[in-house]
Amino acid sequence: MTGVLQNVNQRTQLVGQNRLELLLFRLRGRQVYGINVFKVKEVLQCPKLSSIPNSRAVVRGVSHIRGETIPIVDMSMAIGLPGLPQEQLATSFVIITEYNRKTQGFLVSGVDRIINMNWEDIMPPPKGAGKDVYLTAVTNVDEKLVEIIDVEKILSEVSPLREDVNEELVTRSAAQAKQSLPVLVVDDSAVARRQISRCLTAIGMDVVTHNDGRQALEYMKSLTQDGSSIRDHLSLIISDVEMPEMDGYTLVTRIKEDPLLKDTFIMLHTSLSGVFNRAMVQKVGADDFMAKFSPDELAERVMELIGQD
């Protein structure tokens, strides 16, 4: 499996095509799960793990991999299932990923294969799934349901990020943001939407949120159906890249093609921090890129942009 993924960065030239590649894996039982290959650095047989005193049970230990000490999170436990038995670790796998500027490994029982899909075939979780479900999306592969894990939700519980904006920034923003138009935030992760909204609200911004690119595009077109420019309605857009139905790259492309929408400032705000190529942002015409998630950095950048209006 390491051989399959050794050139993973070269497999991600899908920008603007509304496509993705999913790595399929299993935890306990027959259910198949997926993770975007963009996030994956390596897949390897579970290495020897060293325990961490006073760590949460979901962190099965740490391992020294390619010069870096990496925490290994039991994916089963992280989403509320029983953890993998100790005696099965030797035959299990670790998916090394990079999210939100950090590297971590996820312990899984088995890794299947990589599939190429269209984001239009990736759907939001069923509405009756509830707020606490650890999914951002679902899809069907070979007539079987594949559940795409909300890794940002897992990491927010295992290793919480600071979400509050520095008081100095809050004070500085008090007069500036009052005259500003709302910010449109587009992200399929409820955790990410909450983090970004909390950050922007702290500096006095009004926030409108949508779960995917298609929803956001329809909302923007509804604002401009009277012939007005989107700049009369929104200060800027902050969009994730990975989203069901329409990804962030395709959203940018569609916006820039529309005469009434093209002048809006678009920031791609994504957890694809390690393998992300800035040239890809420029390719689709986005105006800025920021890796998730630093509340002070995001707040300062938004204040800077608002101040330029």
Side-chain angles (χ1 to χ4, degrees):
M1 184 53 64
T2 301
V4 174
L5 293 174
Q6 62 185 355
N7 295 318
V8 69
N9 288 359
Q10 285 73 47
R11 300 178 59 115
T12 55
Q13 307 304 308
L14 305 173
V15 174
Q17 301 177 35
N18 207 36
R19 299 193 69 84
L20 79 158
E21 288 186 317
L22 283 178
L23 172 64
L24 304 183
F25 62 91
R26 297 176 188 273
L27 300 176
R28 297 183 64 126
R30 302 175 65 180
Q31 177 61 48
V32 179
Y33 300 89
I35 186 173
N36 195 332
V37 169
F38 260 119
K39 304 288 183 69
V40 178
K41 297 178 69 175
E42 186 176 6
V43 175
L44 65 159
Q45 203 82 37
C46 182
K48 181 179 180 181
L49 303 181
S50 300
S51 61
I52 308 174
N54 301 318
S55 66
R56 297 186 59 183
V58 69
V59 180
R60 298 294 291 263
V62 297
S63 184
H64 196 67
I65 301 171
R66 307 199 190 290
E68 188 175 4
T69 301
I70 298 174
I72 307 300
V73 176
D74 189 320
M75 181 77 85
S76 296
M77 295 181 68
I79 65 172
L81 301 175
L84 294 183
Q86 187 71 25
E87 62 272 16
Q88 291 184 14
L89 295 190
T91 58
S92 299
F93 291 85
V94 169
I95 303 174
I96 306 297
T97 67
E98 188 155 2
Y99 280 82
N100 300 348
R101 314 184 190 204
K102 295 181 180 180
T103 300
Q104 52 280 310
F106 289 106
L107 180 67
V108 301
S109 64
V111 176
D112 191 351
R113 57 192 166 114
I114 292 172
I115 58 170
N116 186 303
M117 298 194 69
N118 194 307
W119 274 111
E120 292 180 353
D121 297 324
I122 310 296
M123 307 303 294
K127 291 184 178 180
K131 292 184 178 180
D132 294 328
V133 66
Y134 289 85
L135 303 177
T136 58
V138 296
T139 190
N140 281 291
V141 177
D142 298 334
E143 299 184 353
K144 294 180 180 179
L145 180 71
V146 174
E147 299 181 352
I148 301 174
I149 298 290
D150 187 349
V151 177
E152 288 174 274
K153 177 175 174 60
I154 291 174
L155 294 178
S156 72
E157 297 174 355
V158 174
S159 180
L161 294 169
R162 183 175 67 85
E163 298 183 9
D164 295 327
V165 178
N166 182 286
E167 283 297 327
E168 186 273 330
L169 287 175
V170 173
T171 302
R172 182 149 51 94
S173 69
Q176 182 179 349
K178 288 181 179 179
Q179 308 301 319
S180 300
L181 295 170
V183 175
L184 173 60
V185 174
V186 193
D187 203 301
D188 63 327
S189 170
V191 169
R193 291 196 302 274
R194 186 200 71 221
Q195 291 172 336
I196 300 167
S197 296
R198 182 172 178 175
C199 169
L200 298 181
T201 302
I203 58 172
M205 301 298 300
D206 291 327
V207 180
V208 177
T209 63
H210 282 288
N211 298 4
D212 62 62
R214 191 177 303 282
Q215 286 183 16
L217 186 61
E218 291 173 355
Y219 169 72
M220 294 173 69
K221 287 183 175 182
S222 73
L223 294 177
T224 59
Q225 63 183 354
D226 60 356
S228 58
S229 169
I230 195 65
R231 295 287 287 175
D232 297 328
H233 303 279
L234 297 173
S235 294
L236 70 149
I237 299 171
I238 300 175
S239 177
D240 190 20
V241 169
E242 297 181 282
M243 295 181 290
E245 299 197 60
M246 180 184 291
D247 70 6
Y249 296 130
T250 305
L251 173 62
V252 174
T253 300
R254 298 289 184 270
I255 290 172
K256 296 302 183 180
E257 290 173 347
D258 190 313
L260 297 178
L261 305 180
K262 66 180 183 179
D263 291 333
T264 190
F265 189 98
I266 307 173
M267 176 194 293
L268 290 178
H269 186 243
T270 171
S271 55
L272 301 171
S273 51
V275 300
F276 195 89
N277 187 339
R278 187 173 291 272
M280 297 305 180
V281 177
Q282 297 170 352
K283 176 180 176 181
V284 295
D287 300 287
D288 203 357
F289 159 75
M290 185 176 292
K292 293 177 181 177
F293 171 70
S294 168
D296 291 344
E297 186 177 329
L298 180 60
E300 194 142 29
R301 180 61 176 141
V302 170
M303 287 167 56
E304 177 185 332
L305 293 171
I306 297 302
Q308 293 173 358
D309 290 342

